Amino acid sequence: MRYLSRALLGLAVAGMFSTGAKAQEVVGNNQGDFNEFMDRSGNMYRAASGRPGPEYWQNETDYDIDVTLNDEEHTIKGKITLTYTNNSPHELDFIWMHLEQNRFTEDSRGTLTTPIQGNRYNGDIDGGYTISNLEAKVKRSSSSNYLINDTRMQVFFEDPIPANGGKATVSMNFEYKIPVEGMDRMGRLDVEDGTIYALAQWFPKAAVYDDVEGWNIEPYLGAGEFYLDYGDYDYKITAPASHIVVASGELQNPRQVLSSTVRDRMERAKESDSTVYLIKPEEVNDMSLRAKQEGTLTWHFKMENTRDVAFGSSKAFIWDAAKIDLPSGKKAMAQSAYPKESDGQHAWSRSTEYSKASVEHYSEKWFEYPYPVAVNVAADIGGMEYPGLNFCGWKSEGASLWGVTDHEFGHNWFPMIVGSNERRYAWMDEGFNTFINYYSTLDFNNGEYPARLNKTRNMTGWFTSEQREGIDTYPDVSNLRNLGMIAYYKPAIGLLLLREYILGEERFDNAFKSYIETWAYKHPQPADFFNHMENVSGENLSWFFQKWFYGTGNIDLGLDGVRQYEGNYIISLTNKGEIPMPVKMEITYEDGSSENVTLPVEIWQRGDSWNYLHRTDKSIENVELDPNKILPDVNSGNDDWPNSFYQD
């Protein structure tokens, strides 16, 4: 080997001097496209394999909440006690909390960054929190010191919360006016039989302190959603006796808030595959079906290991339910609550059917649903998700209602189970969810509704637009006209390409299910996802992740020609785009037969052209790239041979 090395060195030196003094250009290659593009080396908290490291930690937030809904003044008033467990290796002198109702003030950052003409994230400006009686305790020490800035509150402790499992409690009273326009995430809607209250971001909650950013304290502006720790919730909602309250988690006191008739119907629904009415359309105003005819009722709910809870309340609700069958043999319950304006077999009367099918599909295909209920609430909200509960458009029907119901329930997997940071990385929840929605729609009722994610070439107009932005653009920074593509469709298409074109179904599914299971109830970062998919699938995918998720380049594979060579054929290929891709082509012969050929992405490592020697004793009549048209190739004019560009 030593002799060979010297010989090779001698040849190289000879080559250098054989051309005389004339300078030579260095021949380039595409190695940069295949290199690692971000620090993914791993550490004690997050391994390079894409798994939590040996010292991974996250803090825990447990809540005890007691509130009253006033339907005359449209207010929420109550008390919260947060038990905060500091599992980090650092003492904490303070914690940050979110006060997202402060978005609904005239001088909030969210209000002041909303365009004059408005957008989807419009919000009232006459709301905001009133906070009182705050007490922050660590063991026997107590503090009432806090600072509020916009939608964030910093709570200080007299003594720090000890590291590695230390606990603190923060209690306070709070009150606010429920907005009508709640940024398309929550609010209230007047219908003929009453007001529908869609309550989310409805109590002060702790921000996340993690090993990547420390405190995650981005303000609540609009497009950016949420990032929260996990814990147990024990909460009570006092509402008018005429109201039906549906909520995340399990109802603890049905005998106190439900009539015997409704309880009997609920028991039937727990065993029924078809929808059972709990409150029929003609019974909405029948107070004999309430546990009380006047005054108030207090509804008590619990939910374990969740990052949030939400609820809906109204005297206008039709209410129905059915059981959900889970792969382990466990059961959950699908429920829908909607006004008579939303009733009908073409509309919300099928909501529970949709909900049941959606949750059962995702449980079977990816990861079992962990919550006791899956509630769909009709509201003046396009579609918004919370653990175990959605708010969907009250006017939605048919394919639209299926689509929004399925999408919002899909969010229980991303980001409710896999707890990514939505305020920064919308693509890790919206995009992943849009991807799994494609397969659930194909599956539902033998394809009753269309699923179009695989029609990627319908979107090439956006891919070539000068106004396009990268997937990695933070949602509050992006142009709202691009948000649908960069948060939802482009990342979903990226996963589709990995499954249907690059890795194949079996390798992708193994890796994706492993990612969900590994990061369930934890906080993955983008690098964790990239590392995990590579390690489990056994493929270096930096060339794809870098260009697709962290760039604005495009795919353009082409055929430069086909010519005979020593009884066989040379097929000349070119990569005119910025994103390298494996090459799949269908070769058709004069006798009518055909075969498929796949070339690995590594053909593009040295350059942007490649000659493939195809050995055959048949005559080639046609060659077509990407015959299934999975790739969003921005130039379909060079995908076939022969065509008007290639005439011998």
Side-chain angles (χ1 to χ4, degrees):
M1 180 62 72
R2 185 177 180 185
Y3 171 79
L4 180 61
S5 297
R6 288 179 175 176
L8 288 172
L9 178 61
L11 288 172
V13 171
M16 288 170 58
F17 289 100
S18 67
T19 57
K22 185 177 180 181
Q24 298 292 305
E25 282 191 18
V26 175
V27 176
N29 58 45
N30 291 332
Q31 183 60 47
D33 291 342
F34 291 81
N35 287 339
E36 301 293 351
F37 64 99
M38 61 193 304
D39 183 7
R40 291 156 53 193
S41 55
N43 54 47
M44 67 183 70
Y45 304 125
R46 297 168 188 271
S49 64
R51 294 181 177 275
E55 297 186 31
Y56 176 84
W57 56 268
Q58 66 190 48
N59 293 340
E60 181 177 337
T61 52
D62 301 310
Y63 294 89
D64 192 297
I65 312 170
D66 195 336
V67 298
T68 297
L69 167 63
N70 186 318
D71 67 344
E72 295 182 355
E73 298 181 0
H74 305 300
T75 59
I76 288 287
K77 183 176 183 179
K79 181 178 181 178
I80 178 175
T81 299
L82 161 67
T83 301
Y84 189 89
T85 304
N86 176 24
N87 293 317
S88 82
H90 318 117
E91 290 186 341
L92 297 178
D93 297 316
F94 57 83
I95 66 170
W96 281 97
M97 299 188 71
H98 295 296
L99 299 180
E100 283 144 347
Q101 288 298 318
N102 281 356
R103 164 62 176 80
F104 304 110
T105 61
E106 190 173 13
D107 59 352
S108 73
R109 294 190 189 190
T111 298
L112 296 176
T113 55
T114 299
I116 294 173
Q117 68 273 20
N119 57 34
R120 174 184 174 183
Y121 303 108
N122 285 349
D124 290 1
I125 58 174
D126 61 346
Y129 275 112
T130 298
I131 301 293
S132 61
N133 297 328
L134 184 141
E135 184 178 24
K137 298 178 65 176
V138 175
K139 297 182 179 177
R140 295 184 179 181
S141 69
S142 178
S143 169
S144 59
N145 189 13
Y146 65 94
L147 185 153
I148 294 176
N149 179 269
D150 194 53
T151 58
R152 291 82 51 87
M153 176 169 65
Q154 191 174 21
V155 178
F156 299 92
F157 299 96
E158 183 175 302
D159 295 324
I161 312 174
N164 302 314
K167 292 183 181 292
T169 60
V170 177
S171 61
M172 71 189 82
N173 296 332
F174 64 95
E175 182 177 1
Y176 60 89
K177 181 181 178 182
I178 302 167
V180 175
E181 286 194 80
M183 297 170 57
D184 205 27
R185 304 202 191 284
M186 52 86 63
R188 63 183 202 259
L189 166 69
D190 289 333
V191 293
E192 182 177 333
D193 291 317
T195 299
I196 294 174
Y197 294 91
L199 274 301
Q201 291 80 59
W202 58 280
F203 58 93
K205 61 190 71 170
V208 172
Y209 181 74
D210 65 22
D211 61 286
V212 179
E213 294 292 331
W215 286 107
N216 289 261
I217 51 174
E218 284 87 359
Y220 183 40
L221 300 179
E225 293 187 4
F226 311 105
Y227 184 36
L228 299 164
D229 278 317
Y230 292 88
D232 297 336
Y233 287 69
D234 188 322
Y235 63 108
K236 297 175 181 177
I237 301 156
T238 299
S242 59
H243 279 219
I244 295 297
V245 178
V246 291
S248 304
E250 187 169 9
L251 180 63
Q252 301 297 299
N253 60 337
R255 297 189 67 85
Q256 283 70 50
V257 295
L258 302 177
S259 68
S260 59
T261 300
V262 174
R263 293 200 308 273
D264 289 344
R265 293 173 179 178
M266 185 167 284
E267 290 303 312
R268 290 206 306 274
K270 288 179 180 179
E271 304 299 326
S272 176
D273 285 316
S274 58
T275 301
V276 174
Y277 277 117
L278 308 180
I279 301 290
K280 300 176 183 178
E282 64 272 19
E283 296 173 338
V284 167
N285 293 306
D286 184 352
M287 291 301 104
S288 69
L289 292 176
R290 307 301 198 259
K292 287 172 59 178
Q293 279 66 54
E294 57 185 11
T296 62
L297 288 170
T298 298
W299 300 65
H300 182 192
F301 297 91
K302 286 186 179 180
M303 196 171 190
E304 297 179 348
N305 199 23
T306 181
R307 46 176 266 169
D308 200 1
V309 289
F311 71 94
S313 183
S314 182
K315 63 181 180 180
F317 280 152
I318 300 167
W319 191 16
D320 61 37
K323 75 176 170 71
I324 295 171
D325 294 307
L326 300 174
S328 68
K330 293 181 180 179
K331 309 292 182 186
M333 179 178 283
Q335 299 179 22
S336 298
Y338 50 96
K340 66 183 181 184
E341 289 88 343
S342 304
D343 191 22
Q345 279 303 311
H346 61 295
W348 275 78
S349 293
R350 294 189 71 186
S351 167
T352 292
E353 174 195 352
Y354 296 160
S355 304
K356 171 182 167 67
S358 180
V359 171
E360 288 180 348
H361 170 86
Y362 298 130
S363 296
E364 183 66 39
K365 190 167 185 64
W366 304 114
F367 188 90
E368 183 164 300
Y369 187 71
Y371 308 128
V373 295
V375 186
N376 206 20
V377 182
D380 193 17
I381 295 166
M384 188 61 206
E385 74 282 357
Y386 299 94
L389 184 142
N390 306 329
F391 299 123
C392 292
W394 65 297
K395 294 182 179 179
S396 296
E397 54 186 48
S400 174
L401 181 57
W402 158 258
V404 68
T405 300
D406 182 52
H407 180 78
E408 305 312 335
F409 276 123
H411 273 305
N412 282 276
W413 282 261
F414 308 101
M416 306 310 168
I417 295 172
V418 182
S420 58
N421 186 345
E422 300 175 274
R423 201 156 288 183
R424 289 190 172 203
Y425 310 117
W427 59 273
M428 292 184 74
D429 75 292
E430 298 293 359
F432 290 12
N433 184 28
T434 301
F435 166 74
I436 65 173
N437 297 159
Y438 170 68
Y439 296 100
S440 61
T441 301
L442 289 176
D443 183 66
F444 176 66
N445 208 14
N446 297 315
E448 178 178 352
Y449 298 123
R452 301 187 178 93
L453 185 65
N454 64 335
K455 308 297 183 184
T456 64
R457 300 198 180 194
N458 293 342
M459 305 178 195
T460 55
W462 183 87
F463 283 117
T464 57
S465 166
E466 292 182 356
Q467 281 73 48
R468 69 188 185 275
E469 296 172 289
I471 288 173
D472 58 324
T473 307
Y474 287 1
D476 283 319
V477 177
S478 71
N479 186 321
L480 286 183
R481 289 176 294 183
N482 287 330
L483 190 61
M485 282 299 298
I486 66 175
Y488 295 73
Y489 288 104
K490 188 179 179 185
I493 290 171
L495 297 189
L496 182 80
L497 296 182
L498 284 172
R499 188 176 194 266
E500 306 286 347
Y501 191 92
I502 297 169
L503 294 175
E505 294 182 6
E506 186 174 11
R507 291 172 71 197
F508 176 89
D509 288 358
N510 286 341
F512 198 56
K513 286 191 282 191
S514 177
Y515 168 72
I516 297 171
E517 183 176 356
T518 298
W519 288 98
Y521 316 109
K522 296 182 177 68
H523 295 316
Q525 296 286 316
D528 299 316
F529 171 70
F530 298 146
N531 283 341
H532 199 89
M533 293 299 292
E534 286 190 349
N535 276 265
V536 180
S537 69
E539 195 75 32
N540 185 338
L541 297 166
S542 290
W543 55 271
F544 180 67
F545 290 143
Q546 175 183 7
K547 297 290 187 175
W548 190 262
F549 288 92
Y550 279 71
T552 56
N554 284 310
I555 298 169
D556 182 9
L557 301 179
L559 282 162
D560 271 350
V562 178
R563 65 182 186 275
Q564 289 186 323
Y565 177 75
E566 296 183 352
N568 296 297
Y569 287 88
I570 290 178
I571 301 175
S572 296
L573 301 160
T574 183
N575 178 25
K576 295 181 179 293
E578 296 86 356
I579 304 177
M581 272 285 169
V583 173
K584 294 189 176 185
M585 52 187 164
E586 183 179 52
I587 300 171
T588 303
Y589 302 105
E590 283 188 348
D591 64 4
S593 64
S594 65
E595 67 174 301
N596 293 315
V597 172
T598 298
L599 303 180
V601 71
E602 286 83 2
I603 65 174
W604 307 119
Q605 284 186 318
R606 296 189 184 92
D608 294 329
S609 60
W610 185 258
N611 289 325
Y612 163 65
L613 177 62
H614 185 67
R615 293 178 173 86
T616 182
D617 56 3
K618 297 182 179 182
S619 296
I620 292 180
E621 183 177 79
N622 176 264
V623 179
E624 181 183 6
L625 298 183
D626 184 23
N628 294 325
K629 298 298 177 277
I630 295 294
L631 296 180
D633 193 306
V634 296
N635 178 16
S636 59
N638 60 5
D639 289 355
D640 294 273
W641 179 91
N643 62 25
S644 59
F645 293 102
Y646 310 121
Q647 295 294 331
D648 292 335

